[in-house]
Amino acid sequence: MIVTRDRQEAIEAQTLAPYALKSGESKGRVHPEDEQDYRTAFQRDRDRVLHTTAFRRLEYKTQVFINFEGDYYRTRLTHTLEVAQIGRSLARALGANEDLVEAICLSHDLGHPPFGHSGESVLNKLMDGHGGFDHNKQSLRIVSKLESRYPNWPGLNLTYEVREGIVKHETEYDLSDSTAAGFDPETRGSLEAQIANVADELAYNAHDLDDGLRASLIAPEQLADIALWQMLCDSIGWNGHGFTEQIRHRLIRRMLGIEIDDVIQATGAVLARYDLPGAEALQRLPRNVVTHSESLAELNQQLKTFLYTKLYRHHRVVRMAVKAERVVGQLFDTYLKEPEQLPPTVITAANGRGLHRAICDYIAGMTDRFALEEWQRLYDPFTLP
């Protein structure tokens, strides 16, 4: 049996929640093009993102630990894949469009510069007066302008719904920019965009805890007063003695299970209070519908506070962050003072975007490794240029 796009669209219409976004009802692309016979518009968007240079570069971009600190720690790429997996699980249970959720999840961090939030912070300061820098906006610029893969238009020409999901991505650490041209600032993110938001937070809380424990920056006994940790230990019957790799895996796996179940139940309860005829009605609600229960939200906040003070502000992480800021800052200043050191493609881009933005785009596209190698080429007299 061959399942055509028309058949897939019909299945979506029959099986998804009335307030889910259907690929057959997409608002379309900026540049009109014929859709394919065997992939929906959102599936095609997902595949376009997967094949971008920006997506491949995520493999060598920082999540918490710099790439060269170890092969076992999450990178921006593995984080993105975990977000997509969690997002699909939530979407399937909530009657949302899995393909759209996956496309948004895979796109949400494309704009991250090297060295994670440290790199983003210094780029934003350096771009003060020149539009600033925000990785959400950069993700949209990448899929709309910077990736060059088609002869008739810039970017990937993604559907409105995927681009809106990127624009309206928000977590405790990421603020949405719903004022971006072409997107209604009066509406919230779609159900699928909200799922991507929660999947992002779920993923980094779990894997940052996992990586912190594995790196021994966090010791299990430090978590004794964290209620969620105690809940996890009780759920697998671990008494706190003999912490092994397998126990760590079991605890993190149990954490994800509890978190995902809670989001499904809490979101289902919110949705049951409304009679939502379609996606637009959901986006015009006064609050997001994809949420945790109040009790687990409180436990998560306690864990987040712990991770901030004990992991993200750990002296080893802070030292690397300061080094990263220095590397990014010096690269930017050097290019700005001597643009002739930039590749010809960047000089050409500067003619249209301005030198500051062209430099910012160039640095934001670097991996951790390339940025460090470039710094050596510019500052180490024993390294060939």
Side-chain angles (χ1 to χ4, degrees), residues 16-17 19-20 82-99 101-102 105 191-203 256-268 271 289-292:
L16 297 185
Y19 38 79
E82 290 182 34
V83 173
Q85 181 271 318
I86 293 170
R88 289 193 70 114
S89 296
L90 292 172
R92 192 175 303 120
L94 294 170
N97 193 310
E98 287 185 52
D99 295 321
V101 169
E102 186 175 27
C105 289
L191 174 65
E192 289 76 11
Q194 292 182 35
I195 287 173
N197 295 341
V198 171
D200 188 19
E201 287 204 37
L202 253 171
L256 284 169
I258 289 173
E259 298 278 357
I260 290 171
D261 288 349
D262 182 78
V263 170
I264 292 169
Q265 294 300 320
T267 301
L271 289 168
V289 298
V290 183
T291 187
H292 279 291

Side-chain angles (χ1 to χ4, degrees), residues 148-280:
S148 179
R149 293 177 172 270
Y150 301 94
N152 298 323
W153 55 71
L156 306 180
N157 199 31
L158 302 183
T159 58
Y160 175 94
E161 291 76 14
V162 174
R163 289 181 288 114
E164 182 186 44
I166 295 171
V167 167
K168 296 184 178 180
H169 178 67
E170 57 183 6
T171 68
E172 184 174 336
Y173 303 105
D174 301 322
L175 299 179
S176 67
D177 179 33
S178 58
T179 61
F183 300 96
D184 186 354
E186 299 301 318
T187 61
R188 297 180 175 278
S190 63
L191 174 65
E192 289 76 11
Q194 292 182 35
I195 287 173
N197 295 341
V198 171
D200 188 19
E201 287 204 37
L202 253 171
Y204 63 64
N205 283 341
H207 64 49
D208 288 357
L209 176 60
D210 189 19
D211 283 350
L213 288 165
R214 192 183 190 285
S216 298
L217 300 189
I218 300 171
E221 51 269 23
Q222 290 179 279
L223 290 152
D225 294 330
I226 305 301
L228 178 58
W229 176 259
Q230 194 57 56
M231 178 194 297
L232 299 176
C233 294
D234 292 343
S235 71
I236 69 166
W238 183 58
N239 61 7
H241 299 293
F243 188 67
T244 65
E245 184 174 5
Q246 187 180 89
I247 287 173
R248 191 184 81 247
H249 289 320
R250 290 177 64 195
L251 289 166
I252 299 302
R253 187 166 61 245
R254 185 71 185 118
M255 177 180 173
L256 284 169
I258 289 173
E259 298 278 357
I260 290 171
D261 288 349
D262 182 78
V263 170
I264 292 169
Q265 294 300 320
T267 301
V270 173
L271 289 168
R273 295 202 292 267
Y274 299 101
D275 181 18
L276 299 170
E280 184 177 351

Side-chain angles (χ1 to χ4, degrees), residues 55-83 108-109 204 207-208 211 368:
F55 186 80
R56 290 195 297 274
R57 286 174 177 164
L58 296 177
E59 180 178 4
Y60 298 105
K61 290 193 176 187
T62 297
Q63 183 62 29
V64 172
F65 297 93
I66 303 296
N67 175 257
F68 59 75
E69 292 190 66
D71 294 337
Y72 296 99
Y73 303 124
R74 269 73 169 190
T75 64
R76 193 62 61 175
L77 176 62
T78 55
H79 163 71
T80 296
L81 295 176
E82 290 182 34
V83 173
H108 84 282
D109 267 354
Y204 63 64
H207 64 49
D208 288 357
D211 283 350
D368 296 1

